Amino acid sequence: MKYDFNYLIDKINEAKFVEAPFQHIYLENFFSDSHFIEVINSKEIAILPSENDEALFLELKDAGYKIIHHPGCIIDKEKYIKWHKGEKKVKHHSACEGFGIALRLHSPQTQIMKKLIEFLRSSDFNNCLAEKFGHNLNDCDIDGGIQKYLDGYEISPHPDLRRKAVTYMVNINPKKESESMNHHTHYLKFKSQYRYVQAFWEENELIDRCWVPWNWCETKFIQSRNNSIVLFRPNNNTMHAVKASYNHLNTQRTQLYGNLWFKENNVEGTFDWEDFDLQLSNKKNKNIRDKIPDTVRNFLKMARSKILKTDEKVGGKSFYDFYE
């Protein structure tokens, strides 16, 4: 009974939705004080300081972590170490400045971490998530665990893929000073001159959503509080992003991270952010222009009448003029 986490289900069931910057649930003090203190002081979370990246990876391996595929990350440890030392250039997503490495706890050693992972994978917890956001768990696959993200980890603003049904993130950082570090999740909205991208996604449900540059959005909230959780159902405006720049040798960004994924995927294709950059006169964004519905054209005409066109110019034209 010591590690009964069912009270977390009750907290989620009772939580009210916050509507800005998009509909989500935000709760502080998610875990009880006693559980949280034991979690962040466990040997799996409170990794000892390391002298260098090589030593850190050994510490993480001993604690039960494995490198995983994750957006904004690579899986080649040696390549990452060389890049992190500035010795090697590595190609990364064009909307980002870098990348990191993500590791998931695969072999918990302490009793509380074993029980916590068991709880995160349970049908009771995941059925709570599905029902809270109007889904049937039978239609979803479960994915989640305890993860650490190293310096450089970056995902530029994005609303998540259409196949993702629910996502949640709980900060379980081992050091109190983590709240002031630069590695937390940003929750954003499109700047007015880029809202046509969201409108495009709304009118083209078979086209998947993509990452966009940071300067296309503005941050409205940063989830920096330890022992806080954010949960939401991805849609066309659930913009969020991370850009980690911190010393991971002393402590690491650590989260409970999980998703429900729809088993069926009806998406037929996607466009990259470059396709939406109307300042580029190329064949790629012509594909976008050909697919623009009337509602988006009307939006752009309305936006042009409200926003100064001088902010975004291409050969004497504003981007609003491209859809005339």
Side-chain angles (χ1 to χ4, degrees):
M1 292 297 295
K2 181 181 179 183
Y3 298 127
D4 182 357
F5 293 107
N6 284 320
Y7 68 93
L8 301 177
I9 293 176
D10 295 335
K11 284 192 172 186
I12 293 172
N13 283 332
E14 295 168 5
K16 295 183 179 180
F17 287 99
V18 180
E19 298 300 326
F22 52 78
Q23 189 181 79
H24 67 283
I25 292 171
Y26 174 70
L27 297 172
E28 295 182 355
N29 303 312
F30 186 53
F31 286 101
S32 67
D33 290 345
S34 59
H35 279 167
F36 186 67
I37 290 171
E38 191 169 353
V39 165
I40 64 173
N41 286 304
S42 66
K43 62 188 299 184
E44 296 94 333
I45 305 302
I47 304 297
L48 293 174
S50 301
E51 292 184 0
N52 51 48
D53 289 346
E54 291 86 350
L56 175 59
F57 279 109
L58 290 176
E59 289 286 345
L60 291 169
K61 181 179 180 181
D62 289 344
Y65 287 88
K66 291 183 179 179
I67 296 171
I68 60 170
H69 289 277
H70 191 82
C73 299
I74 63 172
I75 60 171
D76 189 323
K77 178 181 66 176
E78 301 305 324
K79 185 180 290 186
Y80 171 80
I81 290 174
K82 289 182 179 179
W83 172 81
H84 199 229
K85 291 179 179 178
E87 298 175 2
K88 185 178 180 64
K89 291 185 178 180
V90 179
K91 186 177 180 180
H92 52 77
H93 193 282
S94 59
C96 299
E97 296 179 353
F99 54 83
I101 276 189
L103 305 98
R104 179 170 289 188
L105 182 61
H106 280 266
S107 304
Q109 300 166 27
T110 59
Q111 190 67 11
I112 189 170
M113 301 312 289
K114 290 178 181 179
K115 290 296 184 180
L116 180 53
I117 290 177
E118 181 181 315
F119 172 77
L120 295 176
R121 296 173 178 171
S122 71
S123 58
D124 286 346
F125 175 66
N126 287 283
N127 192 60
C128 161
L129 299 180
E131 290 186 349
K132 187 69 176 182
F133 291 95
H135 300 310
N136 187 326
L137 185 59
N138 292 329
D139 298 330
C140 302
D141 292 322
I142 297 170
D143 168 43
I146 295 166
Q147 296 185 182
K148 285 182 177 284
Y149 308 82
L150 302 189
D151 180 47
Y153 166 55
E154 181 179 356
I155 305 181
S156 68
H158 66 292
D160 277 333
L161 300 175
R162 294 188 184 275
R163 187 172 164 251
K164 190 178 286 190
V166 178
T167 191
Y168 68 89
M169 292 167 278
V170 187
N171 289 340
I172 52 169
N173 295 301
K175 292 195 175 182
K176 185 176 181 180
E177 56 266 34
S178 69
E179 294 188 356
S180 62
M181 291 181 179
N182 186 17
H183 59 47
H184 298 291
T185 305
H186 292 234
Y187 299 92
L188 315 95
K189 289 184 73 71
F190 272 114
K191 293 179 180 178
S192 56
Q193 63 264 43
Y194 293 103
R195 288 179 192 159
Y196 64 88
V197 180
Q198 180 180 327
F200 178 88
W201 290 332
E202 290 171 355
E203 295 292 334
N204 291 274
E205 295 182 356
L206 298 182
I207 301 297
D208 218 336
R209 301 177 288 243
C210 66
W211 300 8
V212 303
W214 283 85
N215 63 4
W216 288 19
C217 299
E218 52 187 354
T219 297
K220 295 297 185 179
F221 170 66
I222 298 176
Q223 185 189 354
S224 60
R225 290 295 298 272
N226 223 3
N227 198 17
S228 68
I229 183 172
V230 167
L231 312 93
F232 59 89
R233 176 174 57 189
N235 58 41
N236 297 307
N237 72 335
T238 53
M239 303 299 287
H240 56 291
V242 180
K243 184 185 291 187
S245 179
Y246 74 108
N247 182 2
H248 60 213
L249 299 179
N250 292 326
T251 186
Q252 302 83 41
R253 167 187 158 103
T254 312
Q255 284 191 332
L256 302 185
Y257 172 80
N259 308 289
L260 295 181
W261 295 89
F262 291 121
K263 293 178 179 179
E264 292 189 8
N265 184 10
N266 298 319
V267 168
E268 295 180 353
T270 188
F271 289 112
D272 296 325
W273 72 266
E274 291 93 341
D275 300 319
F276 288 105
D277 190 348
L278 306 183
Q279 297 186 65
L280 299 176
S281 178
N282 56 30
K283 294 180 180 179
K284 295 187 74 177
N285 64 39
K286 183 180 183 301
N287 294 330
I288 296 285
R289 285 177 248 168
D290 292 343
K291 288 180 176 289
I292 287 293
D294 290 340
T295 53
V296 181
R297 295 178 191 275
N298 293 336
F299 173 86
L300 291 167
K301 290 178 180 178
M302 179 183 67
R304 185 177 61 176
S305 67
K306 293 183 177 181
I307 301 171
L308 290 175
K309 294 188 293 179
T310 55
D311 290 339
E312 304 285 348
K313 291 288 186 179
V314 184
K317 288 186 176 182
S318 75
F319 60 81
Y320 303 109
D321 295 315
F322 279 100
Y323 288 147
E324 286 279 2

